[in-house]
Amino acid sequence: MSQIEREAMEYDVVIVGAGPAGLSAAIKLKQLDADMNVVVLEKGSEVGAHILSGAVLDPAGLNALIPDWKEKGAPLNVPVKDDNFYMLGEAGQVRLPNFAMPPLMNNHGNYIVSMGNVCRWMAEQAEELGVEIFPGMACSELVYGDNGEVKGVVAGEFGLNADGTPGDAYEPGMELHGKYVFLSEGVRGSLSKEVIAKYELDKDSGPQKYGLGMKEIWEIDPEKHKEGSVTHTMGWPLNGNAGGGSFIYHLDNNQVYVGFVVHLNYENPHLFPYMEFQRFKHHPMVAELLKGGKRVAYGARAITEGGYQAMPELAFPGGALLGCSAGMVNVPRIKGNHNAMLSGIAAAEAAVEAIKADRAGDVLAGYAERVHSGPIAKDLKKVRNVKPLWSKYGLTASLTLGGFDMWTNNLFGISFLGTMKHGKSDAAATGEAKDHKPIEYPKPDGVLSFDRLTNVSFAMTNHEESQPAHLKLKDPSIPVAVNLPKYAGPSARYCPAGVYEFVEEAGADTRFVINFQNCVHCKTCDIKDPSQNINWTTPQGGDGPNYPNM
């Protein structure tokens, strides 16, 4: 616990992160008990600034939380009209028939949305109920009670010098204490990582698995725009180098979300996920769609992909893990926002029960029970083998076996494969450079494809340069001494924002440079670094990307 003296504020529930999980929890708490004292702390400059998602939204969570969301003006304005699935080759594509897809893959009744805008709207609903929401308040530290329970967080520390000492305008922040603390930080949250390790919440679960999702918003020729159209692709350009695929969603105003996901368990350290995304846009089908258009935004975010068997214990002394902090994404559907909302509802219900029984600071067992017996588990159990099948046998086999497994789950409620386990962590899956061929990537043309730094400017990310770098090296020697000779310096490639580089200067040793100002908070470095030497921590509040409609 920090030795700095700070003022403290007391709440019933403290929520870290104003994403769909945290905001759903806040709204449900106030719906159940209008006198409940609830605060939501958000590290982004505003609610939605750090939200990046595909997104085709299954409204199941919103239906449960705010049944009259349509009347209240929720920004779900583009219903899905058609689904398209393609297997790509370098020069062409084969459409996979919709009838062969398990029913859960059907997007009928879902909506193409900006989750950033959905969260902005949800924040308005929460504030109308009396929830206090503080954007620009990064939670940098957990506060523990006398019995080792989580009792609160430190938020709003500003003005540290680059060396970590207090500067002239230093503000120590505040401690916000709660009877329960909900961590809804999204993927690989720094506080969530701490509590998972401290309480060994993952000792009985498989290793968590991740993907890197990159996304651009394009304005395209109105004649090519098909509002409500949803397309997913697999195959080229990744082929056998990595798992993953793309999404193309036509929203309103002649805009299209173009996204690309690379599973982070790839072996070849020469793989460059960002350049795979840029190469993908040169496929004839995609290039024709984007021709004459312009890119208006860019961003990136890691995705939890481990599924049901990789979820850690959800409750710990004094708090709970919500949404993507626990890993509730349905991988084949590429959807997790509905489960995030449902987890917030379940956590709120359990907390209200506990507080009304004069409990505080204990393990909210009722939350885990709700998740494992309710719609979240039902959603995730059906698809639990898709990711391990893909990792183990590759794309073609996983399409066949995974499809069969989802069909049997849908028709009979059982899996003939049981529950498959994940193997190594994504970091441990990285192979040595000597065992893999370098990959040649075409130079971006500046029309369809772009270099990283140009694209990062479209994420509108910003970090105050005088603060300490929020990307911490456990051992500063490892990048050059180990990762460069052994793995060809993969951080220079796996980061979608160009944060890391190895600088060679005549007559001098190679230097490892961290351009933390570029960081878009995707967390890939914390996940994929083969030496697990990079620790992602929160910068001061308000710093990072400023996504408008992601």
Side-chain angles (χ1 to χ4, degrees):
M1 186 172 169
S2 172
Q3 300 305 306
I4 297 170
E5 289 290 323
R6 294 183 171 96
E7 292 182 21
M9 293 180 68
E10 303 293 330
Y11 290 88
D12 290 310
V13 180
V14 174
I15 300 172
V16 180
L23 291 169
S24 294
I27 289 168
K28 192 64 182 178
L29 286 163
K30 296 295 281 186
Q31 288 175 340
L32 292 170
D33 184 348
D35 295 325
M36 191 73 64
N37 205 356
V38 181
V39 64
V40 179
L41 303 162
E42 166 56 40
K43 68 182 173 67
S45 59
E46 63 168 353
V47 172
H50 291 180
I51 297 291
L52 186 142
S53 183
V56 171
L57 178 65
D58 178 341
L62 208 50
N63 290 340
L65 184 68
I66 307 173
D68 58 343
W69 54 263
K70 193 168 285 187
E71 290 75 17
K72 289 188 172 177
L76 280 67
N77 303 318
V78 182
V80 175
K81 292 177 182 171
D82 63 82
D83 272 318
N84 306 280
F85 302 90
Y86 290 97
M87 183 66 70
L88 299 187
E90 187 167 358
Q93 65 277 345
V94 175
R95 182 167 180 179
L96 304 178
N98 288 44
F99 69 80
M101 296 292 171
L104 62 90
M105 300 296 287
N106 188 337
N107 277 305
H108 178 75
N110 298 332
Y111 295 81
I112 300 171
V113 301
S114 157
M115 278 311 297
N117 290 339
V118 171
C119 288
R120 290 177 177 99
W121 176 83
M122 290 178 71
E124 292 172 3
Q125 309 310 303
E127 287 179 324
E128 285 178 12
L129 294 170
V131 175
E132 293 181 38
I133 300 178
F134 297 124
M137 292 286 276
C139 297
S140 53
E141 205 176 317
L142 289 166
V143 179
Y144 294 98
D146 295 337
N147 299 314
E149 80 281 9
V150 171
K151 110 177 188 186
V153 295
V154 173
E157 186 175 33
F158 291 93
L160 290 172
N161 293 321
D163 62 0
T165 59
D168 293 340
Y170 176 68
E171 295 178 25
M174 298 189 69
E175 289 187 7
L176 294 100
H177 299 167
K179 292 168 183 169
Y180 295 99
V181 176
F182 291 169
L183 299 180
S184 51
E185 302 171 286
V187 180
R188 195 79 165 191
S190 49
L191 302 185
S192 303
K193 196 167 80 159
E194 181 179 327
V195 299
I196 289 170
K198 179 179 175 66
Y199 300 112
E200 298 183 314
L201 302 180
D202 58 352
K203 68 179 185 297
D204 296 322
S205 61
Q208 187 57 268
K209 307 295 283 184
Y210 299 90
L212 169 60
M214 297 157 284
K215 175 180 171 183
E216 294 171 356
I217 304 178
W218 280 72
E219 288 180 2
I220 65 168
D221 181 344
E223 291 187 7
K224 300 175 185 176
H225 186 254
K226 298 177 182 176
E227 185 174 307
S229 179
V230 165
T231 296
H232 292 104
T233 78
M234 293 173 286
W236 189 86
L238 291 172
N239 296 327
N241 285 325
S246 83
F247 59 86
I248 301 173
Y249 302 155
H250 290 242
L251 59 157
D252 47 7
N253 300 318
N254 298 317
Q255 289 196 331
V256 177
Y257 293 148
V258 182
F260 199 79
V261 177
V262 178
H263 298 170
L264 288 176
N265 61 349
Y266 61 83
E267 292 182 15
N268 188 343
H270 299 291
L271 189 89
F272 197 156
Y274 175 84
M275 291 305 296
E276 297 285 352
F277 175 30
Q278 298 308 302
R279 178 153 62 175
F280 157 75
K281 289 181 291 176
H282 286 273
H283 187 276
M285 182 181 82
V286 185
E288 178 57 33
L289 174 69
L290 301 180
K291 184 179 177 182
K294 65 175 182 178
R295 160 220 46 184
V296 295
Y298 167 75
R301 192 76 173 92
I303 305 164
T304 45
E305 293 186 338
Y308 191 72
Q309 60 271 54
M311 283 200 305
E313 291 291 328
L314 300 174
F316 52 86
L321 299 170
L322 275 53
C324 281
S325 291
M328 297 181 180
V329 171
N330 182 314
V331 172
R333 296 183 75 200
I334 326 180
K335 288 180 180 61
N337 291 305
H338 63 300
N339 286 336
M341 293 180 184
L342 291 169
S343 75
I345 293 169
E349 290 171 344
V352 169
E353 268 181 15
I355 291 169
K356 286 187 174 178
D358 289 327
R359 288 165 45 204
D362 60 350
V363 176
L364 280 174
Y367 166 52
E369 290 166 6
R370 282 171 167 83
V371 170
H372 291 297
S373 64
I376 296 173
K378 187 178 178 184
D379 186 56
L380 296 180
K381 281 182 179 178
K382 288 180 184 177
V383 301
R384 65 188 182 277
N385 291 323
V386 172
K387 174 73 175 185
L389 280 168
W390 200 333
S391 300
K392 203 165 188 178
Y393 301 116
L395 173 58
T396 306
S398 74
L399 273 176
T400 307
L401 287 171
F404 171 76
D405 194 54
M406 286 190 283
W407 268 112
T408 59
N409 266 293
N410 185 73
L411 293 173
F412 310 116
I414 58 169
S415 169
F416 293 107
L417 300 174
T419 297
M420 296 182 66
K421 293 183 178 180
H422 296 297
K424 309 170 183 174
S425 70
D426 293 335
T430 312
E432 294 188 24
K434 65 181 175 58
D435 299 325
H436 297 274
K437 290 181 180 178
I439 302 172
E440 292 291 325
Y441 290 98
K443 187 178 179 182
D445 67 359
V447 179
L448 286 177
S449 50
F450 312 97
D451 66 81
R452 272 186 300 187
L453 294 186
T454 299
N455 237 358
V456 167
S457 69
F458 283 78
M460 293 180 283
T461 194
N462 183 59
H463 295 83
E464 171 55 52
E465 295 186 18
S466 64
Q467 69 184 301
H470 62 281
L471 302 158
K472 315 281 189 189
L473 299 180
K474 297 172 188 175
D475 181 344
S477 71
I478 281 178
V480 172
V482 178
N483 287 355
L484 187 57
K486 192 172 182 180
Y487 304 104
S491 57
R493 290 178 295 281
Y494 61 58
C495 173
V499 168
Y500 303 101
E501 58 181 328
F502 293 86
V503 177
E504 297 179 21
E505 294 167 342
D509 293 336
T510 300
R511 291 185 300 118
F512 184 61
V513 177
I514 301 176
N515 304 299
F516 73 88
Q517 297 88 346
N518 293 355
C519 181
V520 293
H521 298 198
C522 74
K523 316 289 180 69
T524 303
C525 55
D526 195 297
I527 296 161
K528 185 60 177 171
D529 183 65
S531 301
Q532 285 295 274
N533 189 49
I534 299 173
N535 187 33
W536 194 98
T537 64
T538 53
Q540 68 182 16
D543 287 4
N546 285 280
Y547 296 135
N549 298 303
M550 288 291 196

